[in-house]
Amino acid sequence: MLRIGKISILIFLLLLAAINESFPDKARRTWLPLEKDIEVSHEGFRGVMWCTPLRDIPWKMQRTFTHTRMVRESEDFNVFGASAIYITYTMRNTILYGVRIDITEKANVDRASVEVKRNYPPVGEIIQVNERETRWSTKYTRVWVRQPEDDKSLGQIFIWGRDRKFPD
């Protein structure tokens, strides 16, 4: 009985594949879509909007030691009026979720923070989380700025999408 079940399943799958091949290309793509079209955000980073699929990002990306984080080959580390040490891109289900920018020295983070506020103007209040961290939101983006502990350590600017696909 078990053997007949396996043969029946195999025949069914072969018939399904044959039927699928008989559809025109466009009908085949819409009949059983494996990927939904994802609507990208109205904001992003360096011209690439949040929710952009990895395959549509115009830069060559490299994976890091963590599978959800990537770095851009040939990165321009001059960003928001400061020189970053690292710029890391975070993906969620292969779509662009956010960016982490690591910058040395408080003065550099302050300068970059002013530019980030100009590029991502707050729609509500700017929240002082503690003495080193502030955060705000636009309609499509969240921003978190962390000042370095001292001038020799790194501060961070986190920028990420506020899409419903990404839990707050």
Side-chain angles (χ1 to χ4, degrees):
M1 180 71 178
L2 184 60
R3 184 179 170 113
I4 293 172
K6 287 182 180 179
I7 292 172
S8 297
I9 291 172
L10 180 61
I11 291 170
F12 174 75
L13 291 174
L14 289 171
L15 283 171
L16 187 62
I19 290 168
N20 188 38
E21 284 302 313
S22 68
F23 283 110
D25 230 16
K26 184 175 182 183
R28 193 175 320 134
R29 284 195 309 266
T30 58
W31 177 68
L32 182 63
L34 298 178
E35 292 182 13
K36 290 182 180 176
D37 287 336
I38 297 171
E39 187 176 327
V40 297
S41 177
H42 296 284
E43 287 183 331
F45 180 72
R46 290 187 167 168
V48 177
M49 302 301 121
W50 310 129
C51 302
T52 298
L54 178 59
R55 69 178 180 270
D56 296 337
I57 294 176
W59 318 310
K60 179 102 170 124
M61 303 293 281
Q62 288 182 337
R63 296 205 181 274
T64 64
F65 59 92
T66 304
H67 74 282
T68 59
R69 294 191 189 135
M70 304 187 90
V71 293
R72 176 181 171 184
E73 288 183 12
S74 304
E75 181 69 77
D76 176 8
F77 290 98
N78 294 312
V79 60
F80 301 119
S83 181
I85 302 299
Y86 307 106
I87 299 177
T88 309
Y89 300 81
T90 302
M91 310 301 283
R92 288 250 176 115
N93 297 323
T94 71
I95 61 174
L96 180 63
Y97 170 65
V99 178
R100 173 182 167 159
I101 304 165
D102 292 274
I103 302 171
T104 56
E105 299 182 20
K106 184 180 181 332
N108 292 331
V109 175
D110 285 340
R111 183 173 42 255
S113 180
V114 168
E115 284 300 307
V116 170
K117 279 182 197 150
R118 194 172 62 72
N119 283 273
Y120 303 94
V123 292
E125 65 180 314
I126 296 175
I127 299 168
Q128 187 73 39
V129 178
N130 57 43
E131 64 183 33
R132 291 181 38 231
E133 297 176 320
T134 56
R135 65 181 173 91
W136 67 88
S137 298
T138 73
K139 183 175 180 181
Y140 304 104
T141 302
R142 291 199 187 277
V143 179
W144 192 292
V145 178
R146 180 183 296 148
Q147 292 291 341
E149 290 183 33
D150 56 56
D151 265 352
K152 304 230 187 283
S153 60
L154 292 174
Q156 289 86 27
I157 298 175
F158 303 91
I159 309 168
W160 69 98
R162 285 188 69 190
D163 193 273
R164 63 184 176 86
K165 291 180 271 314
F166 308 133
D168 283 339

